Amino acid sequence: MTPLHDGYVAGAGAEAWAAVVAFVREKGWRREEDEVRFSVWPAEGFLVNFFEADDDDVLFDIDVRELQGQERLDLLGAFLRELGQAFGRPVALTFEGFDPSEMPYLHYDPVADGFVLDREP
């Protein structure tokens, strides 16, 4: 099992990158920016890297090695929920290198305000 997992918010809008930047700034999370990556720490020891996409999607990855134990898993859930509610769109997770729009194992549904296990990881 690969430690890096990809995340995806489909159809976030034409200004998805600017919306991610605004979302992170609003949250007040520690961040570092460059031309193609926006690194944020929603909590100490929990890094999320957002990547600029050519379309209207939000792409990010997380390192699940940072999320061992229930408390850390709760941080991931809270992050996915906040992201999904901010964009009003589902947030999907898949293994590194797989297309999250086609092979998610977990997604947050903002309409139902809940998580769906799409398949066993």
Side-chain angles (χ1 to χ4, degrees):
M1 185 162 88
T2 178
L4 295 176
H5 292 225
D6 290 328
Y8 176 81
V9 180
E15 299 295 322
W17 184 252
V20 165
V21 173
F23 168 72
V24 169
R25 287 184 177 149
E26 177 185 307
K27 293 294 179 186
W29 294 334
R30 184 168 63 104
R31 63 191 181 276
E32 293 176 7
E33 294 178 59
D34 63 32
E35 294 80 33
V36 296
R37 182 181 61 224
F38 195 65
S39 300
V40 301
W41 288 264
E44 189 61 38
F46 175 27
L47 171 63
V48 178
N49 290 306
F50 288 98
F51 300 93
E52 190 165 11
D54 292 334
D55 49 23
D56 61 352
D57 301 329
V58 173
L59 304 174
F60 64 93
D61 71 21
I62 58 171
D63 187 340
V64 294
R65 293 174 296 193
E66 298 176 339
L67 301 170
Q68 302 302 309
Q70 188 62 51
E71 181 180 315
R72 305 299 287 174
L73 187 58
D74 290 346
L75 286 174
L76 173 62
F79 168 76
L80 296 175
R81 184 173 192 245
E82 288 181 84
L83 190 61
Q85 290 180 346
F87 284 98
R89 312 281 307 163
V91 181
L93 288 181
T94 192
F95 295 112
E96 182 80 5
F98 288 92
D99 183 343
S101 68
E102 295 178 12
M103 295 288 294
Y105 65 83
L106 175 75
H107 75 270
Y108 170 76
D109 179 348
V111 174
D113 191 22
F115 293 89
V116 177
L117 184 62
D118 297 304
R119 65 180 43 85
E120 292 292 322

